[in-house]
Amino acid sequence: MKLKFRDLEVIHAVLQTGSTRKAAEVLHVTQPAVSMSVKASEVSLGFALFSRANGRLTPTDRALVLAPHLQKLMVEHEAVNR
């Protein structure tokens, strides 16, 4: 059930942008890579982070609980890099 930092970056990007396509642009990767990462994270965690309907992703309640923690982590990571 361990997620790598990159998995957390991907989840955060999807939460921030609202789509795998936009997250892929932000992360400079392909949309399929983002989709695969999200799916793999969900399998690893054992629960869905997004519900999927009509080609849209909607964050689940569990993803919304993670969102502020991911935001804080990304801010801290950026600070370390500076």
Side-chain angles (χ1 to χ4, degrees), residues 4-38 41 50 70 74 77:
K4 296 177 182 163
F5 185 78
R6 185 59 172 178
D7 300 324
L8 300 174
E9 282 183 307
V10 170
I11 295 164
H12 180 257
V14 174
L15 286 167
Q16 292 294 301
T17 64
S19 78
T20 56
R21 181 186 59 78
K22 291 178 186 173
E25 290 173 10
V26 168
L27 297 170
H28 307 288
V29 297
T30 65
Q31 182 276 330
V34 170
S35 293
M36 289 187 321
S37 178
V38 169
S41 294
F50 299 93
L70 292 173
M74 297 307 143
H77 181 257

Side-chain angles (χ1 to χ4, degrees), residues 43-64:
V43 168
S44 180
L45 291 169
F47 56 83
L49 294 167
F50 299 93
S51 59
R52 293 152 177 87
N54 301 321
R56 295 189 179 265
L57 294 179
T58 304
T60 63
D61 289 342
R62 288 181 169 178
L64 294 175

